[in-house]
Amino acid sequence: MNIDLGNYTITSDAQNFILNEKVVIQKGKRVGETQLVTVGYYGSWEGLSNRMLQVELSKSDATQLSEIADLVCDFNNNVTTLLKGLPKEVAAK
C-alpha cells in the first residue's frame, strides 16, 4: 500500500499501517528535496487515523473550540472519502 495524502503518505507492511510525514530537507546537499519521516506504526486503521488527527490538531493555530470542531469534521470527512477508495480488505484491517 502506498497512499499519498498530501502532507502524509500511508504505507504498510504485513502487520502494520505506517504513517509517514513528508518533510522538505532544509540543509545539506539535498536541500529542497522531499523525504518521508516515519511518524509511527499502527496495527489498525483507527489507530493510524487517531494519530493523524492528533498531529494535525497539535499543528493547528486554533484559538477556539469551534475551530477545533471544524478541523475534526474536515479530517473525518477526508478519512471517510479515503476509505471509500480503498479495497474492502484493507479498509477492514
Side-chain angles (χ1 to χ4, degrees):
M1 171 188 306
N2 190 339
I3 302 171
D4 185 354
L5 300 174
N7 294 333
Y8 300 96
T9 297
I10 299 171
T11 56
S12 64
D13 60 23
Q15 297 186 1
N16 297 291
F17 293 106
I18 306 163
L19 178 60
N20 305 283
E21 186 172 13
K22 293 179 186 174
V23 177
V24 177
I25 299 171
Q26 301 294 320
K27 296 180 181 181
K29 294 179 182 178
R30 297 175 47 209
V31 169
E33 289 183 28
T34 301
Q35 72 178 26
L36 295 179
V37 176
T38 301
V39 174
Y41 296 82
Y42 307 92
S44 69
W45 184 263
E46 181 182 17
L48 180 138
S49 62
N50 286 340
R51 180 62 178 144
M52 278 179 49
L53 177 57
Q54 184 180 33
V55 169
E56 288 300 305
L57 287 172
S58 70
K59 290 181 177 182
S60 168
D61 58 356
T63 58
Q64 298 181 4
L65 287 176
S66 62
E67 293 172 321
I68 292 173
D70 289 343
L71 192 130
V72 170
C73 286
D74 290 345
F75 178 84
N76 288 336
N77 289 336
N78 291 339
V79 168
T80 299
T81 300
L82 174 65
L83 283 172
K84 287 180 181 178
L86 290 177
K88 288 185 181 191
E89 65 273 8
V90 173
K93 183 175 179 185

